[in-house]
Amino acid sequence: MSVTEMFSYIQGFLSADQDVREDIRKVVQMLEQTAREILTVLQSVHQPSGFKEIPGKCAKARELFCTVRTHIADLKTKFPVEQYYRFHEHWRFVLQRLAFLSAFVVYLESEALVTREEVAQILGIEVVRERGFHLDVEDYLAGVLIMASELSRLAVNSVTAGDYNRPLRISNFINELDSGFRLLNLKNDPLRKRYDGLKYDVKKIEEVVYDLSIRGLAKEPESGLDK
Amino acid sequence: MSKREGEGCPRKNADAPQDRDGSGNPSSPVIAVFKVFQQELDTKHDKYERLVKISRDVTIESKRTIFLLHRVTSVPDAEDILNEAETKLDAVRQKIGQIAEELRGEDIFQFHRAFTPGIQEYVEAVSFLHYIRHRSLISLEEINARLVFMRTEKGLAEAQPAGSQVLTFQVTPSDYLLGVADLTGELMRMCISSVGNGDIDTPFQLSQFLRQIHDGFSYIGNTGPYEVSKKLHTLRQSLGKVEDACYTLRVRGSEIPKHMLADVFSSRTALMDPEEGVV
């Protein structure tokens, strides 16, 4: 094979590769759009009026996740399934956002940590790599960490809205999450960087809880009963 | 691990007493889930580290092979050196076999970054050897064809029926391309040293070959991976040096009577000084 032939073969491969990336980028853009819409719906829980409508907002967000599922189904058709990690960078960011959004919805509904299986189900993808388009564990964890900072904000705003018990529940939840993350041996990667921010969220929520406790606004026995 | 948890506890206790149950309790669902994640992440990181290590070994051995091959120009019996290089590359291939073993059943691209430097270096070495032997560019298929490994030990026990014994490693086109870009630097060095040894044919062959590769890279342009554009710059410099060397040879060659040529080129200093003057 001559040098010229070899290079035109490689060139053919490269341009095919670029076409695939182009296709992926288009779908990912739509996914990002939908993710922003969901975020907008969920953001309104920070409004004082939004506190009463949390179930309604969640239902609306769940509806929008249907669109996400169709987009992801579309995305799956754009590249060979065994080359997931070759193009991973393209959807990593949006997948983390979506993991965060599903975790947030599940928390608002049931005040529990979403499992990786649940996220996968909400997004219409797999958990195990062998079975197709899946949710990487690091992306899931990143999504959970984004939720933690959203919850620290929610703790502040729930006090403003007059809900004094929620911060206590959030505090329990975040502390549990924090001790969960302590179990992980993270490398010096983006996930680790994000995890380093978790302590500030924990701190902020603890301050809110402290403020409530010294003013006697948090009713200890009641929150004890909740548990 | 327990020590780290211990550090966290007192701080939490101060604010929310009931926390102690939540964070310390190992049977809590969140903790249980994170233990699974811990295992999964550790397994992944360990595999990555192992691959990095193998890749380093591949790099070192390939570099040594390249140094060995550079001796070809100054030694009367080139065949010995080529055979020795072949043996060295066989050892490198065994190492790549280990990479293939690690990657069995995995997504190659998940760990690609761990071993890409080694593979590029291997491509460089193997294509250099191929060039010295055949004066042509090794193709991607030829490289991949030699990266087929037979494994008999553990493969039998596994569920996969046929494919378990034969392992292949596929060099990606990008790795191939980057390896070939590195090759041009070696060719440049080979050209200069062969001039020093009085070999006046090799530089012309090399400059022609380098020009072809350069044209190939210009054809690919910026559609390739990001690193290609960086290497293209170095490639231009190498090509420039080789072309200058050929130019000098031609100019000096026409001035000096044929019977004296050998004397002029047999000593390195004799050439290197006038070369400076011409440029």
Side-chain angles (χ1 to χ4, degrees):
Chain A
M1 197 183 247
S2 81
V3 176
T4 327
E5 278 167 0
M6 197 58 226
F7 273 95
S8 67
Y9 165 75
I10 301 266
Q11 153 69 21
F13 170 85
L14 290 172
S15 59
D17 189 71
Q18 263 194 337
D19 291 345
V20 173
R21 285 175 198 277
E22 208 61 47
D23 283 350
I24 290 175
R25 227 168 275 149
K26 273 181 209 147
V27 185
V28 166
Q29 253 168 24
M30 288 196 284
L31 266 178
E32 279 169 350
Q33 176 60 36
T34 321
R36 278 196 295 272
E37 280 168 31
I38 299 175
L39 185 63
T40 320
V41 169
L42 291 177
Q43 284 290 313
S44 58
V45 301
H46 291 293
Q47 304 280 354
S49 58
F51 268 89
K52 293 154 204 118
E53 299 156 26
I54 285 179
K57 303 284 181 205
C58 289
K60 208 169 162 197
R62 288 245 184 208
E63 268 172 49
L64 283 166
F65 272 114
C66 291
T67 327
V68 169
R69 279 194 288 272
T70 51
H71 285 324
I72 290 185
D74 192 21
L75 181 61
K76 284 180 200 168
T77 63
K78 300 295 181 202
F79 65 96
V81 72
E82 71 279 1
Q83 299 186 356
Y84 180 90
Y85 282 100
R86 182 151 160 220
F87 305 109
H88 189 196
E89 290 304 315
H90 291 294
W91 57 74
R92 176 170 238 165
F93 176 77
V94 74
L95 210 56
Q96 288 177 0
R97 300 296 289 180
L98 289 168
F100 148 60
L101 292 167
S102 13
F104 197 36
V105 168
V106 169
Y107 180 80
L108 290 173
E109 284 170 353
S110 59
E111 307 216 341
L113 176 66
V114 71
T115 61
R116 200 169 151 204
E117 288 75 15
E118 274 176 282
V119 179
Q121 204 192 348
I122 292 174
L123 302 180
I125 56 181
E126 302 290 339
V127 177
V128 194
R129 184 181 66 81
E130 281 80 6
R131 291 177 58 189
F133 195 97
H134 68 287
L135 179 65
D136 189 273
V137 67
E138 293 186 25
D139 291 341
Y140 163 76
L141 291 173
V144 170
L145 286 172
I146 305 176
M147 177 184 66
S149 47
E150 193 67 22
L151 286 182
S152 74
R153 217 186 124 206
L154 186 67
V156 173
N157 289 328
S158 59
V159 174
T160 320
D163 185 346
Y164 298 140
N165 274 323
R166 188 177 286 272
L168 294 180
R169 297 200 302 271
I170 291 179
S171 167
N172 279 336
F173 180 73
I174 294 277
N175 278 325
E176 207 173 346
L177 216 56
D178 187 43
S179 35
F181 272 100
R182 272 162 203 277
L183 290 178
L184 305 180
N185 308 309
L186 296 173
K187 288 213 298 183
N188 209 1
D189 57 3
L191 184 62
R192 159 75 192 277
K193 224 186 230 168
R194 191 158 260 161
Y195 163 69
D196 288 342
L198 181 63
K199 56 177 178 278
Y200 301 109
D201 301 326
V202 173
K203 182 165 173 263
K204 194 167 177 191
I205 296 171
E206 282 176 354
E207 278 166 7
V208 172
V209 172
Y210 170 77
D211 281 341
L212 292 175
S213 321
I214 57 163
R215 289 169 180 80
L217 290 168
K219 289 159 233 159
E220 285 291 344
E222 214 172 285
S223 71
L225 278 175
D226 280 355
K227 243 210 142 201
Chain B
M1 202 50 60
S2 57
K3 194 186 145 215
R4 266 199 255 164
E5 260 176 72
E7 285 167 8
C9 277
R11 185 179 47 129
K12 283 176 211 156
N13 292 347
D15 296 330
Q18 71 265 49
D19 261 9
R20 212 180 304 164
D21 312 308
S23 59
N25 185 5
S27 61
S28 122
V30 174
I31 299 297
V33 166
F34 273 83
K35 282 207 171 115
V36 178
F37 294 152
Q38 178 195 44
Q39 267 180 6
E40 196 176 332
L41 284 174
D42 285 351
T43 318
K44 201 166 105 179
H45 292 161
D46 288 350
K47 190 179 273 279
Y48 192 89
E49 289 307 322
R50 282 198 301 276
L51 283 168
V52 168
K53 228 176 136 207
I54 303 174
S55 161
R56 277 212 193 112
D57 291 346
V58 170
T59 311
I60 293 167
E61 270 311 300
S62 305
K63 275 221 163 77
R64 284 187 186 149
T65 313
I66 291 168
F67 273 108
L68 176 71
L69 285 171
H70 271 300
R71 260 175 260 152
V72 152
T73 45
S74 55
V75 161
D77 192 9
E79 199 52 38
D80 275 354
I81 286 187
L82 292 184
N83 288 335
E84 197 186 332
E86 196 62 62
T87 327
K88 269 181 181 290
L89 284 180
D90 274 334
V92 175
R93 276 192 277 273
Q94 287 309 310
K95 290 257 189 294
I96 297 179
Q98 289 175 21
I99 296 185
E101 187 107 4
E102 288 282 355
L103 290 175
R104 193 214 308 255
E106 299 282 348
D107 187 327
I108 296 174
F109 291 96
Q110 186 173 13
F111 299 100
H112 188 239
R113 255 192 312 178
F115 57 83
T116 175
I119 296 302
Q120 285 177 28
E121 208 64 35
Y122 169 72
V123 170
E124 184 178 343
V126 87
S127 57
F128 193 32
L129 176 61
H130 184 93
Y131 178 77
I132 293 172
R133 273 235 164 94
H134 308 283
R135 304 276 147 173
S136 67
L137 181 64
I138 194 169
S139 74
L140 185 54
E141 284 87 43
E142 283 171 270
I143 293 180
N144 281 335
R146 304 199 63 172
L147 295 175
V148 177
F149 308 96
M150 303 302 268
R151 279 287 179 281
T152 41
E153 327 98 271
K154 283 182 286 181
L156 293 169
E158 279 183 29
Q160 299 148 293
S164 58
Q165 271 127 317
V166 180
L167 273 176
T168 57
F169 184 89
Q170 297 278 313
V171 175
T172 64
S174 323
D175 282 345
Y176 171 77
L177 204 58
L178 295 170
V180 170
D182 291 336
L183 167 72
T184 57
E186 301 307 327
L187 293 178
M188 183 270 288
R189 282 177 56 194
M190 186 184 168
C191 168
I192 301 302
S193 69
S194 62
V195 167
N197 289 311
D199 181 352
I200 43 172
D201 292 332
T202 310
F204 290 101
Q205 285 172 3
L206 276 169
S207 79
Q208 205 190 348
F209 184 62
L210 273 181
R211 229 170 273 141
Q212 282 177 346
I213 291 183
H214 176 257
D215 295 349
F217 271 101
S218 328
Y219 175 60
I220 282 174
N222 58 5
T223 51
Y226 160 71
E227 297 98 312
V228 168
S229 44
K230 263 197 304 190
K231 299 217 168 172
L232 193 56
H233 180 69
T234 328
L235 171 54
R236 289 229 168 83
Q237 285 181 330
S238 302
L239 182 63
K241 280 182 200 164
V242 171
E243 283 177 341
D244 281 348
C246 288
Y247 167 82
T248 315
L249 272 178
R250 188 67 82 202
V251 173
R252 301 279 301 167
S254 65
E255 278 173 359
I256 298 171
K258 277 263 179 327
H259 65 276
M260 282 174 69
L261 255 183
D263 297 335
V264 171
F265 286 111
S266 61
S267 98
R268 194 179 295 248
T269 43
L271 178 90
M272 287 309 173
D273 289 338
E275 194 186 24
E276 236 76 82
V278 171
V279 177

